[in-house]
C-alpha cells in the first residue's frame, strides 16, 4: 500500500481557496483573520490532517518551545514530582517539557545532553550523574542555558536549585539520637552522588554535636537508590552480629526496601528497629508502617528551576543573573521511628 504523503501548508491553502499567508495567520496570529475564514481554514486543516512542522517554526523563530529535563531516576517518585513542578511552570509559559532519565549513569547523561544539543532545546534542567562535571562542561560549549537541579552549581555553571541535604541528614540523626538511639546505620547509595555524600555529612555532624564518635554510624553502601537495593541492605543489616537499633536511609525507596526485609524476617518496626527515610514520597505515608522521612519540596524545586530557566531564555534574558536557590528540608515523624523504652 502506498504511503500517503504528508500534508503541507500549501495543500491547506489550495484546498481552502486562500493564500499561504492566510493559513499561516490562522496558525500563528488568528486574531488577524476574520472568524468565518478562520473557522473555514481550521475545518480544512482538520479534514486534511495537517500538522505544523515545529522544526520549521523553530528555524523561523530562532528558538525552541521545548525545555529538557534530565533526572537521575524516573522510577523515584521524588523526580516525578520535580518533573510535575517543572511542567506546570513551563506550560504556563507556553512551553513543553521533554523528560529523560540518566539512570544515575554518566554515559547515559552524556548521550542525552548530546541529544539536547542536536535538538537545540530552549534550555535544560539537569540533575547531574557525572561527579567529574565533564559532561556538563561539554554541554556548556553549545551555548544552551541550563539549571542544575537538586545540587548546588558553581557560579560559572549557571543557576541551581537544591535542598540543603547536610541539614536534612542532621535532622534525621538528631531525631534518632533524641529517641535514645546510640547504635545507628546509614543505608547510603552510589558514593559518587553528591546528595548521598551530603546526607552522610549531615548525619556525622549531628553525631559530633551529641558528642558521639563517627563510628556510632555504620554505613551500608548500595549501588542504586531503589527498593531492591534497600531489601539487599536490609538483609545485610539482619546479618550483623550487633544490629543497630535505628537506620537512616538515603532515600525513601531504600527505606521501604529495608522495611520489607525486616518485616519478612519478623523484626518489628519501630519496636526492634526504627527507620528514617528521605524525600517523603507519597508511598512513605502509605507504607505498612508509615515512614518517618525528611521531606524535600519536590514540586517547588522543579517549578523554581523552570522559572529560572524561563528568566534566562525570555525577553529580558540580558538582565538575568545566575541564582543559587537552596531550599530547607523538614522532618516528618510517623510510625517507623520512636524512642527506646
Amino acid at each position: 500500500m502506498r504511503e500517503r504523503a504528508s500534508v503541507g501548508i500549501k495543500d491547506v491553502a489550495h484546498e481552502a481557496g486562500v493564500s499561504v499567508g492566510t493559513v499561516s495567520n490562522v496558525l500563528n496570529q488568528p486574531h488577524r483573520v476574520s472568524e468565518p475564514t478562520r473557522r473555514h481554514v481550521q475545518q480544512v486543516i482538520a479534514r486534511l490532517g495537517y500538522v505544523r512542522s515545529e522544526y520549521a517554526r523553530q528555524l523561523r523563530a530562532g528558538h525552541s518551545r521545548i525545555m529538557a529535563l534530565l533526572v537521575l531516576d524516573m522510577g523515584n517518585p521524588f523526580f516525578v514530582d520535580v518533573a510535575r513542578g517543572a511542567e506546570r511552570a513551563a506550560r504556563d509559559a507556553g512551553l513543553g517539557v521533554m523528560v529523560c532519565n540518566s539512570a544515575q549513569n554518566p554515559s547515559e547523561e552524556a548521550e542525552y545532553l548530546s541529544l539536547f544539543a542536536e535538538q537545540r532545546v530552549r534550555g535544560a534542567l539537569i540533575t547531574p550523574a557525572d561527579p567529574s562535571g565533564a559532561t556538563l562542561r561539554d554541554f556548556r560549549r553549545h551555548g544552551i542555558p541550563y539549571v542544575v537541579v537538586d545540587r548546588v552549581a558553581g557560579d560559572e555553571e549557571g543557576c541551581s536549585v537544591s535542598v540543603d541535604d547536610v541539614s536534612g541528614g542532621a535532622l534525621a540523626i538528631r531525631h534518632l539520637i533524641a529517641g535514645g538511639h546510640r547504635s545507628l546505620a546509614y543505608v547510603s547509595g552510589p558514593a559518587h552522588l553528591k546528595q548521598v555524600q551530603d546526607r552522610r555529612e549531615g548525619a556525622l555532624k549531628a553525631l559530633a554535636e551529641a558528642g558521639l564518635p563517627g563510628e556510632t554510624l555504620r554505613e551500608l553502601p548500595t549501588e542504586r537508590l531503589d527498593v531492591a537495593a534497600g531489601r539487599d541492605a536490609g538483609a545485610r543489616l539482619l546479618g550483623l552480629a550487633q544490629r543497630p537499633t535505628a537506620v537512616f536511609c538515603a532515600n525513601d525507596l531504600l527505606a521501604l526496601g529495608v522495611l520489607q526485609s525486616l518485616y519478612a524476617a519478623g523484626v518489628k518496626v519501630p519496636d526492634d528497629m526504627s527507620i528514617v527515610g528521605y524525600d517523603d514520597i507519597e508511598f512513605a505515608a502509605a507504607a505498612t508502617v508509615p515512614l518517618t522521612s525528611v521531606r524535600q519540596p519536590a514540586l517547588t524545586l522543579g517549578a523554581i528551576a523552570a522559572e529560572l530557566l524561563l528568566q534566562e531564555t525570555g525577553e529580558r534574558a540580558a538582565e538575568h543573573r545566575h541564582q543559587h536557590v537552596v531550599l530547607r528540608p523538614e522532618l516528618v515523624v510517623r510510625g517507623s521511628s520512636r524512642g527506646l523504652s
Side-chain angles (χ1 to χ4, degrees), residues 72-94:
L72 291 177
D73 181 11
M74 278 306 293
N76 186 339
F78 166 75
F79 286 111
V80 174
D81 284 343
V82 170
R84 286 172 54 209
E87 190 272 338
R88 288 178 187 175
R91 184 178 58 198
D92 289 344

Side-chain angles (χ1 to χ4, degrees), residues 237-269:
L237 275 173
L238 292 168
L240 293 175
Q242 292 183 324
R243 292 180 188 172
T245 61
V247 56
F248 167 46
C249 299
N251 76 358
D252 284 343
L253 296 181
L254 289 173
L256 292 171
V258 169
L259 179 62
Q260 289 178 8
S261 285
L262 298 185
Y263 182 82
V267 176
K268 296 180 180 179
V269 176

Side-chain angles (χ1 to χ4, degrees), residues 8 14 23-24 39 65 88 95 106 127 129 141-142 144 172 185 201 209 214 233 252 284 294 296 321-322 329:
H14 176 75
V23 178
S24 178
R39 190 184 309 115
R65 292 177 56 244
R88 288 178 187 175
L95 303 182
T127 302
R141 292 185 293 116
H142 297 289
I144 298 174
E201 180 183 341
E209 290 173 352
D252 284 343
V294 178
Q296 296 200 85
R321 297 294 179 269
H322 293 327

Side-chain angles (χ1 to χ4, degrees), residues 36-148:
T37 300
R38 184 170 67 246
R39 190 184 309 115
H40 171 61
V41 172
Q42 288 171 340
Q43 289 172 348
V44 173
I45 288 172
R47 185 168 71 251
L48 296 182
Y50 167 76
V51 178
R52 77 167 79 192
S53 170
E54 179 61 19
Y55 179 70
R57 193 208 64 77
Q58 287 178 201
L59 289 176
R60 291 192 300 271
H63 57 77
S64 170
R65 292 177 56 244
I66 299 296
M67 179 186 296
L69 170 62
L70 180 61
V71 300
L72 291 177
D73 181 11
M74 278 306 293
N76 186 339
F78 166 75
F79 286 111
V80 174
D81 284 343
V82 170
R84 286 172 54 209
E87 190 272 338
R88 288 178 187 175
R91 184 178 58 198
D92 289 344
L95 303 182
V97 178
M98 175 171 62
V99 182
C100 300
N101 176 26
S102 72
Q104 305 167 35
N105 187 320
S107 63
E108 292 193 31
E109 173 180 279
E111 291 176 8
Y112 276 122
L113 293 182
S114 294
L115 175 65
F116 297 165
E118 290 173 8
Q119 296 297 315
R120 302 303 301 175
V121 296
R122 175 74 162 260
L125 310 177
I126 304 167
T127 302
D130 181 3
S132 73
T135 55
L136 279 181
R137 286 194 294 272
D138 289 343
F139 185 65
R140 196 177 305 135
R141 292 185 293 116
H142 297 289
I144 298 174
Y146 65 87
V147 175
V148 175

Side-chain angles (χ1 to χ4, degrees), residues 5-26:
S6 61
V7 176
I9 193 170
K10 291 182 179 179
D11 299 314
V12 174
H14 176 75
E15 181 71 16
V18 298
S19 68
V20 170
T22 297
V23 178
S24 178
N25 283 336
V26 169

Side-chain angles (χ1 to χ4, degrees), residues 1-5:
M1 181 177 178
R2 186 175 180 180
E3 190 173 314
R4 180 182 176 185

Side-chain angles (χ1 to χ4, degrees), residues 241-317:
Q242 292 183 324
R243 292 180 188 172
T245 61
V247 56
F248 167 46
C249 299
N251 76 358
D252 284 343
L253 296 181
L254 289 173
L256 292 171
V258 169
L259 179 62
Q260 289 178 8
S261 285
L262 298 185
Y263 182 82
V267 176
K268 296 180 180 179
V269 176
D271 295 345
D272 300 327
M273 192 180 297
S274 288
I275 302 177
V276 176
Y278 205 103
D279 289 339
D280 194 35
I281 61 176
E282 185 177 354
F283 298 135
T288 304
V289 180
L291 188 64
T292 295
S293 184
V294 178
R295 175 179 292 164
Q296 296 200 85
L299 285 169
T300 302
L301 194 75
I304 292 176
E307 288 164 1
L308 288 173
L309 190 59
L310 289 168
Q311 291 173 16
E312 189 171 356
T313 60
E315 295 179 356
R316 304 180 66 178

